Amino acid sequence: GEDVEQSLFLSVREGDSSVINCTYTDSSSTYLYWYKQEPGAGLQLLTYIFSNMDMKQDQRLTVLLNKKDKHLSLRIADTQTGDSAIYFCAESIMDTGRRALTFGSGTRLQVQP
Amino acid sequence: GAGVSQTPSNKVTEKGKYVELRCDPISGHTALYWYRQSLGQGPEFLIYFQGTGAADDSGLPNDRFFAVRPEGSVSTLKIQRTERGDSAVYLCASSLLLTGGAADTQYFGPGTRLTVL
């Protein structure tokens, strides 16, 4: 079945880079998403990548995809205190025709000043 | 433009009562999704609408849960005979329903926090 897993917690200092990791269920055709959730708020889409890509960069965000190892990472450069939140990776498997997203449990990022 | 809105933002009810949660999607979005997020967990899929019809309700936990979208826009999630285990944040999302291999990005509302006493 579908399973997305993430580490629970990451603490970094302001100005450092953060790397949040995720493993997912393999599929020949998958979109993988990163969402950010701040306390009491909904999910904010950060970026996404298709499974035929290795990397995607968007300003301070870099997504790396290792399809062989079923591993996805989100790198945040120059991490700021405003980046403190819970980050979710999510998978959408297109081959099955389902449109539901399968989420990991989230990684809480704490940025220390 | 306006994002996905959900009302109420908070709902406290007693065990056994009936509740309705409302979602107003982004204008023009054909697809609408309901998810449930328990404390410390990621969202879990409940049901997905394509227009007025429920295209996938495989995530509904039991027959106490029901959702409608009569005019293909606003949706209501209905929970009968609420139980304490139903306490969670109920999230709604909408998308354009892109096909042909494009990323059909889902945009989420702020959620309704349901507490069953």
Side-chain angles (χ1 to χ4, degrees), chain B residues 1-50:
Chain B
V4 177
S5 62
Q6 293 185 245
T7 54
S9 55
N10 279 283
K11 176 70 177 178
V12 180
T13 191
E14 293 179 344
K15 181 176 178 294
K17 298 290 189 184
Y18 168 82
V19 296
E20 290 189 350
L21 311 179
R22 176 189 166 108
C23 172
D24 204 334
I26 294 172
S27 178
H29 279 196
T30 305
L32 185 146
Y33 310 78
W34 284 99
Y35 292 82
R36 178 167 72 173
Q37 185 176 20
S38 300
L39 192 63
Q41 300 296 316
E44 293 179 318
F45 170 73
L46 295 176
I47 186 170
Y48 144 62
F49 286 89
Q50 183 173 325

Short mmCIF file of all heavy atoms in Angstrom, two decimals, chain B residues 1-50:
data_model
loop_
_atom_site.label_atom_id
_atom_site.label_comp_id
_atom_site.label_asym_id
_atom_site.label_seq_id
_atom_site.Cartn_x
_atom_site.Cartn_y
_atom_site.Cartn_z
N GLY B 1 -6.74 35.95 -5.72
CA GLY B 1 -8.15 35.71 -5.45
C GLY B 1 -8.32 35.02 -4.11
O GLY B 1 -7.35 34.68 -3.43
N ALA B 2 -9.56 34.80 -3.69
CA ALA B 2 -9.83 34.18 -2.40
C ALA B 2 -9.40 32.72 -2.45
O ALA B 2 -9.51 32.05 -3.47
CB ALA B 2 -11.31 34.29 -2.08
N GLY B 3 -8.95 32.26 -1.29
CA GLY B 3 -8.56 30.86 -1.17
C GLY B 3 -9.73 30.02 -0.72
O GLY B 3 -10.88 30.44 -0.73
N VAL B 4 -9.43 28.81 -0.27
CA VAL B 4 -10.44 27.90 0.26
C VAL B 4 -10.83 28.39 1.65
O VAL B 4 -9.96 28.69 2.46
CB VAL B 4 -9.89 26.47 0.34
CG1 VAL B 4 -10.92 25.54 0.96
CG2 VAL B 4 -9.46 25.98 -1.04
N SER B 5 -12.12 28.50 1.89
CA SER B 5 -12.57 28.90 3.23
C SER B 5 -13.39 27.80 3.87
O SER B 5 -14.06 27.02 3.16
CB SER B 5 -13.38 30.20 3.16
OG SER B 5 -14.54 30.02 2.38
N GLN B 6 -13.31 27.72 5.19
CA GLN B 6 -14.02 26.69 5.94
C GLN B 6 -14.69 27.32 7.16
O GLN B 6 -14.11 28.17 7.82
CB GLN B 6 -13.07 25.59 6.40
CG GLN B 6 -12.48 24.77 5.27
CD GLN B 6 -11.64 23.62 5.77
OE1 GLN B 6 -10.43 23.56 5.56
NE2 GLN B 6 -12.29 22.67 6.43
N THR B 7 -15.90 26.87 7.41
CA THR B 7 -16.62 27.34 8.60
C THR B 7 -17.31 26.17 9.28
O THR B 7 -17.74 25.22 8.61
CB THR B 7 -17.69 28.40 8.22
OG1 THR B 7 -18.55 27.86 7.21
CG2 THR B 7 -17.04 29.67 7.74
N PRO B 8 -17.43 26.21 10.62
CA PRO B 8 -16.77 27.17 11.50
C PRO B 8 -15.28 26.86 11.62
O PRO B 8 -14.84 25.81 11.21
CB PRO B 8 -17.50 26.94 12.82
CG PRO B 8 -17.84 25.49 12.80
CD PRO B 8 -18.17 25.18 11.35
N SER B 9 -14.54 27.75 12.24
CA SER B 9 -13.12 27.46 12.46
C SER B 9 -12.95 26.51 13.64
O SER B 9 -12.01 25.71 13.66
CB SER B 9 -12.34 28.75 12.71
OG SER B 9 -12.91 29.47 13.78
N ASN B 10 -13.86 26.60 14.58
CA ASN B 10 -13.87 25.70 15.74
C ASN B 10 -15.29 25.24 16.00
O ASN B 10 -16.23 26.03 15.88
CB ASN B 10 -13.35 26.41 16.99
CG ASN B 10 -11.85 26.45 17.03
OD1 ASN B 10 -11.20 25.47 17.34
ND2 ASN B 10 -11.30 27.60 16.72
N LYS B 11 -15.41 23.97 16.38
CA LYS B 11 -16.72 23.43 16.73
C LYS B 11 -16.56 22.49 17.91
O LYS B 11 -15.78 21.54 17.85
CB LYS B 11 -17.31 22.67 15.53
CG LYS B 11 -18.64 21.99 15.81
CD LYS B 11 -19.76 22.99 15.98
CE LYS B 11 -21.10 22.28 16.19
NZ LYS B 11 -22.18 23.28 16.41
N VAL B 12 -17.28 22.80 18.98
CA VAL B 12 -17.28 21.93 20.15
C VAL B 12 -18.68 21.33 20.26
O VAL B 12 -19.67 22.05 20.21
CB VAL B 12 -16.93 22.70 21.44
CG1 VAL B 12 -16.95 21.75 22.63
CG2 VAL B 12 -15.56 23.36 21.31
N THR B 13 -18.74 20.02 20.39
CA THR B 13 -20.03 19.36 20.48
C THR B 13 -19.96 18.25 21.52
O THR B 13 -18.89 17.91 22.02
CB THR B 13 -20.44 18.80 19.12
OG1 THR B 13 -21.80 18.37 19.16
CG2 THR B 13 -19.57 17.61 18.72
N GLU B 14 -21.11 17.71 21.82
CA GLU B 14 -21.16 16.62 22.79
C GLU B 14 -21.29 15.29 22.06
O GLU B 14 -21.88 15.22 20.97
CB GLU B 14 -22.35 16.82 23.72
CG GLU B 14 -22.21 18.02 24.64
CD GLU B 14 -23.41 18.19 25.54
OE1 GLU B 14 -24.47 17.59 25.25
OE2 GLU B 14 -23.32 18.94 26.52
N LYS B 15 -20.79 14.29 22.68
CA LYS B 15 -20.87 12.93 22.14
C LYS B 15 -22.32 12.61 21.78
O LYS B 15 -23.24 12.88 22.56
CB LYS B 15 -20.34 11.95 23.18
CG LYS B 15 -20.33 10.49 22.77
CD LYS B 15 -19.67 9.66 23.87
CE LYS B 15 -19.69 8.19 23.54
NZ LYS B 15 -21.05 7.61 23.50
N GLY B 16 -22.50 12.05 20.59
CA GLY B 16 -23.83 11.68 20.15
C GLY B 16 -24.53 12.72 19.30
O GLY B 16 -25.54 12.41 18.65
N LYS B 17 -24.01 13.94 19.26
CA LYS B 17 -24.65 15.00 18.49
C LYS B 17 -24.27 14.92 17.01
O LYS B 17 -23.31 14.25 16.62
CB LYS B 17 -24.23 16.37 19.03
CG LYS B 17 -24.64 16.63 20.46
CD LYS B 17 -26.12 16.79 20.61
CE LYS B 17 -26.49 17.26 22.02
NZ LYS B 17 -27.96 17.32 22.20
N TYR B 18 -25.02 15.69 16.21
CA TYR B 18 -24.79 15.77 14.77
C TYR B 18 -24.08 17.09 14.45
O TYR B 18 -24.41 18.13 15.03
CB TYR B 18 -26.16 15.70 14.07
CG TYR B 18 -26.17 16.05 12.62
CD1 TYR B 18 -25.82 15.12 11.65
CD2 TYR B 18 -26.56 17.33 12.20
CE1 TYR B 18 -25.86 15.44 10.30
CE2 TYR B 18 -26.60 17.65 10.86
CZ TYR B 18 -26.25 16.71 9.92
OH TYR B 18 -26.29 17.02 8.58
N VAL B 19 -23.09 17.05 13.55
CA VAL B 19 -22.41 18.29 13.17
C VAL B 19 -22.28 18.38 11.65
O VAL B 19 -22.25 17.37 10.95
CB VAL B 19 -20.99 18.39 13.79
CG1 VAL B 19 -21.07 18.47 15.30
CG2 VAL B 19 -20.10 17.26 13.34
N GLU B 20 -22.23 19.62 11.19
CA GLU B 20 -21.99 19.90 9.78
C GLU B 20 -20.82 20.86 9.66
O GLU B 20 -20.76 21.87 10.36
CB GLU B 20 -23.22 20.54 9.13
CG GLU B 20 -24.39 19.61 8.97
CD GLU B 20 -25.50 20.22 8.13
OE1 GLU B 20 -25.44 21.44 7.84
OE2 GLU B 20 -26.45 19.49 7.77
N LEU B 21 -19.90 20.54 8.76
CA LEU B 21 -18.74 21.38 8.50
C LEU B 21 -18.80 21.81 7.04
O LEU B 21 -19.05 20.99 6.16
CB LEU B 21 -17.45 20.59 8.76
CG LEU B 21 -17.38 19.83 10.09
CD1 LEU B 21 -16.04 19.08 10.19
CD2 LEU B 21 -17.56 20.74 11.27
N ARG B 22 -18.54 23.09 6.82
CA ARG B 22 -18.72 23.65 5.48
C ARG B 22 -17.39 24.01 4.84
O ARG B 22 -16.47 24.48 5.51
CB ARG B 22 -19.60 24.89 5.57
CG ARG B 22 -19.81 25.65 4.27
CD ARG B 22 -20.52 26.96 4.52
NE ARG B 22 -20.43 27.84 3.36
CZ ARG B 22 -21.44 28.13 2.55
NH1 ARG B 22 -22.65 27.61 2.78
NH2 ARG B 22 -21.28 28.94 1.53
N CYS B 23 -17.32 23.81 3.53
CA CYS B 23 -16.13 24.19 2.76
C CYS B 23 -16.55 24.96 1.52
O CYS B 23 -17.43 24.51 0.77
CB CYS B 23 -15.35 22.94 2.34
SG CYS B 23 -13.99 23.28 1.19
N ASP B 24 -15.89 26.08 1.31
CA ASP B 24 -16.13 26.90 0.12
C ASP B 24 -14.83 26.89 -0.70
O ASP B 24 -13.84 27.50 -0.29
CB ASP B 24 -16.49 28.32 0.54
CG ASP B 24 -17.29 29.05 -0.52
OD1 ASP B 24 -17.16 28.69 -1.71
OD2 ASP B 24 -18.04 29.97 -0.16
N PRO B 25 -14.80 26.19 -1.83
CA PRO B 25 -13.54 26.04 -2.56
C PRO B 25 -13.18 27.30 -3.35
O PRO B 25 -13.95 28.25 -3.43
CB PRO B 25 -13.85 24.89 -3.51
CG PRO B 25 -15.31 25.05 -3.79
CD PRO B 25 -15.92 25.53 -2.49
N ILE B 26 -12.00 27.26 -3.94
CA ILE B 26 -11.57 28.33 -4.83
C ILE B 26 -12.50 28.34 -6.05
O ILE B 26 -12.81 27.27 -6.61
CB ILE B 26 -10.11 28.14 -5.25
CG1 ILE B 26 -9.21 28.32 -4.03
CG2 ILE B 26 -9.71 29.12 -6.35
CD1 ILE B 26 -7.75 27.96 -4.27
N SER B 27 -12.93 29.53 -6.43
CA SER B 27 -13.86 29.65 -7.55
C SER B 27 -13.29 29.02 -8.81
O SER B 27 -12.13 29.26 -9.18
CB SER B 27 -14.15 31.13 -7.80
OG SER B 27 -15.01 31.29 -8.91
N GLY B 28 -14.10 28.17 -9.45
CA GLY B 28 -13.66 27.53 -10.69
C GLY B 28 -12.98 26.19 -10.51
O GLY B 28 -12.72 25.49 -11.48
N HIS B 29 -12.71 25.82 -9.26
CA HIS B 29 -12.08 24.51 -9.01
C HIS B 29 -13.14 23.42 -9.05
O HIS B 29 -14.11 23.43 -8.30
CB HIS B 29 -11.37 24.51 -7.65
CG HIS B 29 -10.02 25.14 -7.70
ND1 HIS B 29 -9.08 24.97 -6.71
CD2 HIS B 29 -9.43 25.91 -8.65
CE1 HIS B 29 -7.98 25.61 -7.04
NE2 HIS B 29 -8.16 26.20 -8.21
N THR B 30 -12.90 22.45 -9.92
CA THR B 30 -13.87 21.38 -10.12
C THR B 30 -13.78 20.32 -9.02
O THR B 30 -14.79 19.73 -8.64
CB THR B 30 -13.61 20.71 -11.49
OG1 THR B 30 -13.65 21.69 -12.51
CG2 THR B 30 -14.65 19.64 -11.78
N ALA B 31 -12.57 20.07 -8.56
CA ALA B 31 -12.37 19.00 -7.58
C ALA B 31 -12.34 19.56 -6.16
O ALA B 31 -11.78 20.64 -5.92
CB ALA B 31 -11.07 18.26 -7.86
N LEU B 32 -12.93 18.81 -5.24
CA LEU B 32 -12.94 19.20 -3.83
C LEU B 32 -12.66 17.97 -3.01
O LEU B 32 -13.18 16.88 -3.25
CB LEU B 32 -14.30 19.80 -3.46
CG LEU B 32 -14.44 20.36 -2.04
CD1 LEU B 32 -15.37 21.57 -2.04
CD2 LEU B 32 -14.89 19.32 -1.04
N TYR B 33 -11.81 18.13 -1.98
CA TYR B 33 -11.34 17.03 -1.15
C TYR B 33 -11.58 17.34 0.32
O TYR B 33 -11.43 18.48 0.75
CB TYR B 33 -9.83 16.81 -1.34
CG TYR B 33 -9.38 16.71 -2.76
CD1 TYR B 33 -9.23 17.86 -3.55
CD2 TYR B 33 -9.05 15.49 -3.33
CE1 TYR B 33 -8.80 17.78 -4.87
CE2 TYR B 33 -8.61 15.40 -4.64
CZ TYR B 33 -8.49 16.54 -5.40
OH TYR B 33 -8.07 16.46 -6.70
N TRP B 34 -11.89 16.30 1.07
CA TRP B 34 -11.91 16.41 2.53
C TRP B 34 -10.83 15.49 3.11
O TRP B 34 -10.70 14.33 2.68
CB TRP B 34 -13.26 15.98 3.09
CG TRP B 34 -14.36 16.99 2.93
CD1 TRP B 34 -15.33 17.02 1.96
CD2 TRP B 34 -14.61 18.12 3.77
NE1 TRP B 34 -16.16 18.09 2.16
CE2 TRP B 34 -15.75 18.79 3.26
CE3 TRP B 34 -14.00 18.65 4.91
CZ2 TRP B 34 -16.28 19.94 3.85
CZ3 TRP B 34 -14.52 19.77 5.49
CH2 TRP B 34 -15.65 20.42 4.96
N TYR B 35 -10.10 16.02 4.09
CA TYR B 35 -9.10 15.26 4.82
C TYR B 35 -9.36 15.45 6.32
O TYR B 35 -9.95 16.45 6.73
CB TYR B 35 -7.68 15.75 4.51
CG TYR B 35 -7.19 15.49 3.11
CD1 TYR B 35 -7.54 16.34 2.06
CD2 TYR B 35 -6.35 14.42 2.82
CE1 TYR B 35 -7.09 16.11 0.77
CE2 TYR B 35 -5.88 14.19 1.53
CZ TYR B 35 -6.26 15.04 0.51
OH TYR B 35 -5.80 14.81 -0.76
N ARG B 36 -8.84 14.54 7.10
CA ARG B 36 -8.92 14.66 8.55
C ARG B 36 -7.50 14.56 9.11
O ARG B 36 -6.73 13.67 8.72
CB ARG B 36 -9.78 13.53 9.13
CG ARG B 36 -9.88 13.54 10.64
CD ARG B 36 -10.97 12.62 11.13
NE ARG B 36 -10.65 11.22 11.00
CZ ARG B 36 -11.42 10.25 11.48
NH1 ARG B 36 -12.55 10.55 12.12
NH2 ARG B 36 -11.08 8.99 11.32
N GLN B 37 -7.18 15.49 10.02
CA GLN B 37 -5.84 15.51 10.60
C GLN B 37 -5.95 15.38 12.11
O GLN B 37 -6.42 16.29 12.80
CB GLN B 37 -5.11 16.80 10.24
CG GLN B 37 -3.67 16.83 10.70
CD GLN B 37 -2.92 18.08 10.24
OE1 GLN B 37 -3.51 19.09 9.91
NE2 GLN B 37 -1.60 18.00 10.25
N SER B 38 -5.49 14.25 12.62
CA SER B 38 -5.44 14.04 14.07
C SER B 38 -4.16 14.65 14.61
O SER B 38 -3.19 14.86 13.87
CB SER B 38 -5.51 12.55 14.38
OG SER B 38 -6.72 12.00 13.88
N LEU B 39 -4.13 14.87 15.90
CA LEU B 39 -3.00 15.53 16.54
C LEU B 39 -1.71 14.77 16.29
O LEU B 39 -1.62 13.57 16.51
CB LEU B 39 -3.27 15.65 18.04
CG LEU B 39 -2.33 16.55 18.82
CD1 LEU B 39 -2.47 17.99 18.33
CD2 LEU B 39 -2.64 16.46 20.31
N GLY B 40 -0.71 15.48 15.78
CA GLY B 40 0.59 14.87 15.56
C GLY B 40 0.70 14.01 14.31
O GLY B 40 1.71 13.33 14.11
N GLN B 41 -0.33 14.05 13.49
CA GLN B 41 -0.34 13.22 12.28
C GLN B 41 -0.49 14.08 11.03
O GLN B 41 -0.85 15.26 11.10
CB GLN B 41 -1.50 12.23 12.34
CG GLN B 41 -1.46 11.28 13.51
CD GLN B 41 -0.26 10.37 13.45
OE1 GLN B 41 0.08 9.82 12.40
NE2 GLN B 41 0.41 10.19 14.58
N GLY B 42 -0.21 13.47 9.90
CA GLY B 42 -0.50 14.14 8.64
C GLY B 42 -1.95 13.97 8.29
O GLY B 42 -2.66 13.13 8.85
N PRO B 43 -2.45 14.78 7.36
CA PRO B 43 -3.84 14.65 6.94
C PRO B 43 -4.11 13.28 6.31
O PRO B 43 -3.25 12.74 5.61
CB PRO B 43 -4.00 15.76 5.89
CG PRO B 43 -2.92 16.75 6.22
CD PRO B 43 -1.77 15.92 6.72
N GLU B 44 -5.30 12.77 6.56
CA GLU B 44 -5.74 11.50 5.96
C GLU B 44 -6.97 11.76 5.10
O GLU B 44 -7.91 12.42 5.53
CB GLU B 44 -6.07 10.47 7.05
CG GLU B 44 -4.87 10.03 7.85
CD GLU B 44 -5.25 9.03 8.92
OE1 GLU B 44 -6.27 9.22 9.58
OE2 GLU B 44 -4.51 8.04 9.08
N PHE B 45 -6.93 11.20 3.92
CA PHE B 45 -7.99 11.41 2.94
C PHE B 45 -9.32 10.82 3.41
O PHE B 45 -9.37 9.73 3.95
CB PHE B 45 -7.57 10.76 1.63
CG PHE B 45 -8.65 10.69 0.59
CD1 PHE B 45 -9.06 11.83 -0.09
CD2 PHE B 45 -9.26 9.48 0.29
CE1 PHE B 45 -10.04 11.75 -1.05
CE2 PHE B 45 -10.25 9.39 -0.67
CZ PHE B 45 -10.64 10.53 -1.34
N LEU B 46 -10.39 11.59 3.17
CA LEU B 46 -11.74 11.09 3.47
C LEU B 46 -12.54 10.86 2.18
O LEU B 46 -13.00 9.76 1.92
CB LEU B 46 -12.49 12.10 4.35
CG LEU B 46 -11.93 12.33 5.76
CD1 LEU B 46 -12.72 13.43 6.46
CD2 LEU B 46 -11.95 11.05 6.56
N ILE B 47 -12.70 11.92 1.38
CA ILE B 47 -13.58 11.84 0.22
C ILE B 47 -13.18 12.91 -0.79
O ILE B 47 -12.63 13.95 -0.42
CB ILE B 47 -15.06 12.02 0.65
CG1 ILE B 47 -16.02 11.80 -0.53
CG2 ILE B 47 -15.28 13.39 1.29
CD1 ILE B 47 -17.49 11.72 -0.09
N TYR B 48 -13.47 12.62 -2.06
CA TYR B 48 -13.13 13.54 -3.14
C TYR B 48 -14.33 13.68 -4.07
O TYR B 48 -14.94 12.68 -4.45
CB TYR B 48 -11.88 13.00 -3.85
CG TYR B 48 -11.79 13.19 -5.35
CD1 TYR B 48 -11.77 14.46 -5.91
CD2 TYR B 48 -11.70 12.09 -6.19
CE1 TYR B 48 -11.66 14.61 -7.29
CE2 TYR B 48 -11.59 12.24 -7.56
CZ TYR B 48 -11.57 13.51 -8.10
OH TYR B 48 -11.47 13.67 -9.46
N PHE B 49 -14.64 14.92 -4.42
CA PHE B 49 -15.73 15.22 -5.35
C PHE B 49 -15.17 15.71 -6.67
O PHE B 49 -14.25 16.52 -6.71
CB PHE B 49 -16.63 16.33 -4.79
CG PHE B 49 -17.51 15.88 -3.67
CD1 PHE B 49 -17.07 15.95 -2.36
CD2 PHE B 49 -18.79 15.41 -3.92
CE1 PHE B 49 -17.89 15.54 -1.32
CE2 PHE B 49 -19.61 15.00 -2.89
CZ PHE B 49 -19.15 15.06 -1.58
N GLN B 50 -15.78 15.22 -7.73
CA GLN B 50 -15.53 15.76 -9.06
C GLN B 50 -16.85 16.37 -9.50
O GLN B 50 -17.78 15.65 -9.86
CB GLN B 50 -15.07 14.64 -9.99
CG GLN B 50 -14.71 15.11 -11.38
CD GLN B 50 -14.10 13.98 -12.20
OE1 GLN B 50 -13.40 13.13 -11.68
NE2 GLN B 50 -14.39 13.97 -13.48
#
